[in-house]
Amino acid sequence: MDIYINSVKKLANGNKESSERANLLIKEMCQLTQSLLDYNYTIDHYNGNDNSI
């Protein structure tokens, strides 16, 4: 928990480089989540023809 608190303090103190890295990480995590959801949807709904998606 101390690591988390220290990280938040660094971001709050205006370390722009850390803030930019955090924003990039969030963006990449969102893209990964969307890819996983798309994959799961495809697996659940594909039945062998192009019209099933």
Side-chain angles (χ1 to χ4, degrees):
M1 190 66 165
D2 289 334
I3 294 171
Y4 174 77
I5 292 171
N6 289 335
S7 297
V8 170
K9 285 180 182 178
K10 286 180 183 178
L11 288 173
N13 287 333
N15 188 342
K16 188 173 182 177
E17 187 175 309
S18 294
S19 178
E20 289 173 355
R21 285 194 308 245
N23 288 337
L24 182 59
L25 178 61
I26 291 168
K27 181 180 176 182
E28 290 176 354
M29 290 173 63
C30 290
Q31 289 174 345
L32 174 61
T33 301
Q34 185 63 52
S35 295
L36 291 171
L37 290 170
D38 290 346
Y39 175 79
N40 189 44
Y41 179 85
T42 301
I43 295 299
D44 289 345
H45 292 91
Y46 182 68
N47 66 10
N49 65 42
D50 290 339
N51 295 329
S52 65
I53 299 178

